[in-house]
Amino acid sequence: MINTEGMVAETAAKIYTDLCGREVPHEAEAGQYPQALWDALAENGLPLAWVSEENGGFGADYDEVFGAIWVSAEAASPVPFAETLIGNWLLDRAGIAIPDGASTFALLEGNTASVPFAGTADHVAVYDAGKNAIALYKTADASAADGQALSPDSDTRLDFSTATPVASAATNLSRRAVEALILTVRAVQMASAIEAALNLSIAYVSDREQFGRPLSKFQAIQHQLAIGASESAAATMAATQAASALARHADDPEKAWHEAVVAKVQIGHSVEAVTVPFHQVHGAMGYTQEYDLHHYTRRLWAWRDTLGNEHRWSKLLGAELAVTSPDQIWKGVTTGAWIAS
């Protein structure tokens, strides 16, 4: 399980409880940005949790911050809290001063990159593996290269070819290290959102009646929820393993890459397995804009595609395993000591 009892997580939980009620994600999508929520997170220094003390943060442990990320996804956070954590982590690793306001992140592909919360974040930290460099841009200086996003969290492709960075610096971060962090953050968010959607579904079918008895008493509904519960447990376990691996390898995140990829693949399959049943058990209510369920399922579909979906990562992991000795594979499965990169 992801630990949600540390100081960072408990602070985030209180802020989200007080300032992100069920109406807030709805209002955010209607154009009312929850500035008070972001201000509270910033005033408590939470977006700087992974930033070193030398750069103005407090260098919190990975596992403690993952608890706060879990809480934010559980609340269907309409502000880029997790994205700012990642963006600030990248900037800090390159020794770049952390800007004020909300940030996001991107991995450059040519002159373009997929950027979550591009319409909300003030800055974007761009990792360029080809140059072994990280650059800080004002998001407004990049131009949009594609259409409407699936959810506020969805990636929008931005073109940086005519944008001038605010700052840039070389980094010793490998692409795998960056991928390990991003995939693990998304794994924690997805596992949390699956559990939240499951709990919403259980509450709904327990309260609603059909033919004189609760929907939860019908075998078909029980079967759908059993699938959801089992996939939720698998997703949580995969996210926990990935988060634990990153905490163990805090000084060298690349060593947590395999666990992050496994979590990405497992939870991607879980998202496919649960989102339709969750909507189905709600009946027509589950497909309405006014109901809360879509704030989780649309985010799940968007997060599932971060850095490519589970099919892409299955192929990458499978190709690597195919040229690895059986003894080393078994060691990786049983001890977590995965293939040497």
Side-chain angles (χ1 to χ4, degrees), residues 1-334:
M1 296 290 292
I2 300 296
N3 179 20
T4 58
E5 296 181 353
M7 180 188 69
V8 176
E10 289 176 353
T11 302
K14 185 178 188 312
I15 292 172
Y16 275 101
T17 298
D18 292 345
L19 297 173
C20 194
R22 65 171 299 271
E23 75 284 354
V24 173
H26 291 281
E27 292 171 352
E29 293 209 12
Q32 301 177 47
Y33 185 71
Q35 190 64 48
L37 171 60
W38 175 259
D39 289 345
L41 292 168
E43 287 167 6
N44 282 272
L46 297 186
L48 301 173
W50 278 334
V51 175
S52 62
E53 293 182 10
E54 296 78 12
N55 206 5
F58 51 94
D61 294 336
Y62 283 105
D63 51 357
E64 187 174 0
V65 181
F66 280 127
I69 292 170
W70 179 281
V71 167
S72 71
E74 187 177 36
S77 174
V79 298
F81 173 53
E83 290 72 19
T84 302
L85 282 166
I86 296 172
N88 287 346
W89 178 85
L90 287 169
L91 296 174
D92 186 56
R93 289 299 186 109
I96 297 173
I98 308 301
D100 293 332
S103 295
T104 185
F105 65 90
L107 273 66
L108 199 63
E109 302 166 9
N111 292 320
T112 66
S114 294
V115 183
F117 272 106
T120 301
D122 303 301
H123 295 88
V124 52
V126 178
Y127 173 75
D128 187 340
K131 296 180 179 178
N132 289 323
I134 292 170
L136 172 65
Y137 290 87
K138 291 182 179 179
T139 311
D141 289 345
S143 56
D146 62 9
Q148 186 175 7
L150 177 63
S151 81
D153 310 56
S154 295
D155 292 355
T156 300
R157 184 158 288 276
L158 297 185
D159 188 335
F160 293 89
S161 59
T162 60
T164 301
V166 176
S168 62
T171 180
N172 59 4
L173 283 173
S174 67
R175 183 179 179 93
R176 282 196 170 194
V178 176
E179 290 172 344
L181 181 75
I182 295 171
L183 293 180
T184 302
V185 169
R186 287 295 190 239
V188 171
Q189 289 178 297
M190 287 191 287
S192 177
I194 289 173
E195 183 177 284
L198 171 65
N199 291 336
L200 195 65
S201 301
I202 291 172
Y204 182 84
V205 301
S206 298
D207 292 341
R208 294 297 294 264
E209 292 189 356
Q210 188 74 26
F211 304 114
R213 56 177 178 160
L215 290 175
S216 59
K217 298 298 183 182
F218 289 87
Q219 188 174 15
I221 298 294
Q222 293 173 350
H223 176 69
Q224 298 281 54
L225 292 179
I227 293 173
S230 62
E231 293 292 345
S232 178
T236 298
M237 180 57 69
T240 301
Q241 291 292 99
S244 297
L246 201 57
R248 289 196 308 272
H249 301 297
D251 295 332
D252 188 4
E254 182 175 345
K255 292 181 178 178
W257 185 84
H258 293 93
E259 286 87 347
V261 173
V262 169
K264 167 74 171 180
V265 172
Q266 169 59 55
I267 301 176
H269 287 298
S270 294
V271 168
E272 184 176 14
V274 302
T275 48
V276 171
F278 285 161
H279 280 281
Q280 287 178 335
V281 300
H282 283 83
M285 179 64 75
Y287 294 89
T288 61
Q289 184 74 19
E290 295 76 17
Y291 192 60
D292 299 343
L293 183 61
H294 70 89
H295 290 302
Y296 298 109
T297 53
R298 287 166 56 227
R299 282 173 168 80
L300 285 168
W301 290 325
W303 292 335
R304 174 190 176 191
D305 287 340
T306 298
L307 303 186
N309 63 28
E310 68 275 14
H311 304 296
R312 172 181 181 268
W313 289 97
S314 292
K315 291 178 180 178
L316 288 173
L317 188 59
E320 187 164 296
L321 294 175
V323 296
T324 303
S325 71
D327 289 345
Q328 186 62 45
I329 293 174
W330 181 245
K331 182 180 179 181
V333 171
T334 57

